[in-house]
Amino acid sequence: MSQTSPHAAVLHELEPVVAQNLDRHIAVAKEWHPHDYVPWDEGRNFAFLGGEDWSPEQSRLDESAKAAMFVNLLTEDNLPSYHREIATRFGRDGAWGQWVGRWTAEENRHGVALRDYLVVTRGVDPVALERARMDYMTLGYDSGDKTPLEALAYVSFQELATRVSHRNTGRATSDPIADRLLARIATDENLHMVFYRNLMAAAFDIDPDLAMQAVTKEVVGFEMPGATMTGFRKNSMIIAKAGIYDLRLHHDDVVSPVLRAWKVFERTDLGPAGEKAREELAEFLAGLDAQATRFVESRERMRAREAARKG
Ligand SMILES: [Fe+2]
Ligand SMILES: [Fe+2]
């Protein structure tokens, strides 16, 4: 093999695993259509075509459902950036290239469906949404200089994070139509997670130390891709307060199950570099867990105070 970097070598060795998992994905992924999930009979023209422009009382969503829908849709909208990220790391040839195309097409469906739903039901301000989309996409998303294995580790967690976030957003809307749509999208995200998680599992067997170091780096530095979007901090707070996505969910429902699937804390094949990375990960997780506990406690106190005030 002429490739010298250990990362390139692992990526090359993963090719057959990519092909297997692409076949598996295509066999289990069910076709669905965004238009089925949109209550078109609720739609009407805006002022530009002689109707009425959006105003807040038209939305059936409360503040937290609005914030979550806004963040989820804009996150989906930045797909060209994510496509660039994975296409430049994994290439356009063979099974990798086929996956990149298929994954991109599926992700695009999410943005299409969410936008149609929100515009037709007047769930969020379409002007604010469009302005934020322009800013966020113009800025683009750049994950920095991640190696291919770091990118694989990152997307394993990120796809699961989007699954949890979409699923809980659906519940928070109190609208059975939105709930079904978001559950459908969450099913896609779960299959994406499984694809990347399986590849990373294979990478652990090929080069455990390199995989372990990549995982620690990505868990410790994890950030949602939406971090650069307009109002992200404020909306993230609202989303966390509502329990749609918070540190507890991040620790328990996103990071922990993926680490368990890779048997990270049971492996006996790590060398000194891998062991060091695993220790660092364990230490970080203990801190994250403690932080999550403090967050949930303070949220409970806040909810109790609010209930007492309303009492
Ligand atoms: Fe998506
Ligand atoms: Fe996804």
Side-chain angles (χ1 to χ4, degrees):
M1 206 191 304
S2 63
Q3 288 158 329
T4 46
S5 124
H7 287 280
V10 175
L11 210 57
H12 181 76
E13 273 193 67
L14 281 176
E15 261 292 346
V17 190
V18 177
Q20 273 163 29
N21 277 280
L22 177 66
D23 288 347
R24 181 194 169 278
H25 178 84
I26 288 167
V28 294
K30 289 195 182 73
E31 188 187 26
W32 64 278
H33 297 100
H35 68 258
D36 287 333
Y37 293 80
V38 179
W40 298 101
D41 58 354
E42 289 181 27
R44 58 201 167 93
N45 291 349
F46 290 88
F48 185 76
L49 293 181
E52 191 191 1
D53 271 340
W54 186 87
S55 59
E57 72 281 359
Q58 295 166 356
S59 175
R60 67 176 82 154
L61 304 175
D62 70 8
E63 189 199 29
S64 52
K66 265 197 203 112
M69 278 290 206
F70 186 84
V71 168
N72 291 12
L73 172 52
L74 288 173
T75 303
E76 296 285 352
D77 275 336
N78 231 347
L79 180 59
S81 281
Y82 319 138
H83 175 85
R84 182 180 59 218
E85 292 276 321
I86 71 164
T88 50
R89 280 191 188 83
F90 304 142
R92 289 171 56 193
D93 304 328
W96 278 115
Q98 278 179 45
W99 166 256
V100 170
R102 170 74 191 217
W103 174 87
T104 304
E106 290 187 9
E107 290 292 1
N108 189 216
R109 189 184 272 166
H110 302 164
V112 168
L114 288 174
R115 172 163 284 97
D116 284 349
Y117 169 83
L118 287 172
V119 172
V120 166
T121 61
R122 297 190 176 227
V124 300
D125 179 356
V127 174
L129 185 65
E130 181 61 3
R131 285 179 184 155
R133 188 190 64 81
M134 285 296 292
D135 288 347
Y136 183 43
M137 284 186 80
T138 302
L139 210 58
Y141 169 76
D142 183 355
S143 72
D145 55 357
K146 285 193 205 310
T147 64
L149 282 195
E150 287 163 1
L152 270 185
Y154 175 77
V155 289
S156 302
F157 297 113
Q158 209 275 326
E159 293 282 4
L160 187 50
T162 12
R163 177 207 182 181
V164 168
S165 158
H166 282 313
R167 191 70 196 88
N168 291 341
T169 298
R171 293 192 181 113
T173 62
S174 313
D175 174 7
I177 298 174
D179 190 41
R180 270 170 79 190
L181 169 60
L182 284 151
R184 192 65 201 70
I185 294 175
T187 304
D188 283 1
E189 308 296 16
N190 194 52
L191 287 181
H192 297 161
M193 178 277 289
V194 170
F195 178 89
Y196 292 125
R197 192 191 63 192
N198 288 351
L199 285 190
M200 200 59 204
F204 260 106
D205 294 336
I206 295 167
D207 194 331
D209 282 353
L210 212 55
M212 190 61 241
Q213 287 169 287
V215 166
T216 296
K217 184 157 174 254
E218 295 313 312
V219 171
V220 171
F222 187 85
E223 202 172 51
M224 288 297 252
T228 58
M229 127 197 347
T230 307
F232 185 75
R233 280 183 67 85
K234 178 177 158 256
N235 284 328
S236 297
M237 281 302 293
I238 297 171
I239 289 165
K241 276 188 187 167
I244 294 169
Y245 199 89
D246 58 31
L247 287 177
R248 179 49 61 216
L249 290 164
H250 185 65
H251 178 279
D252 293 1
D253 293 0
V254 174
V255 175
S256 301
V258 174
L259 294 177
R260 269 199 302 277
W262 294 330
K263 299 187 169 36
V264 159
F265 291 107
E266 294 150 43
R267 306 194 75 90
T268 53
D269 53 2
L270 298 178
E275 287 289 1
K276 188 165 164 274
R278 177 159 66 182
E279 278 164 30
E280 193 191 330
L281 178 66
E283 209 174 299
F284 176 82
L285 289 176
L288 180 66
D289 190 33
Q291 217 188 328
T293 301
R294 284 195 301 275
F295 173 79
V296 171
E297 283 167 1
S298 82
R299 182 171 63 196
E300 273 159 15
R301 283 195 300 273
M302 186 189 70
R303 284 178 181 167
R305 276 199 304 274
E306 274 171 18
R309 212 178 308 139
K310 280 177 193 153

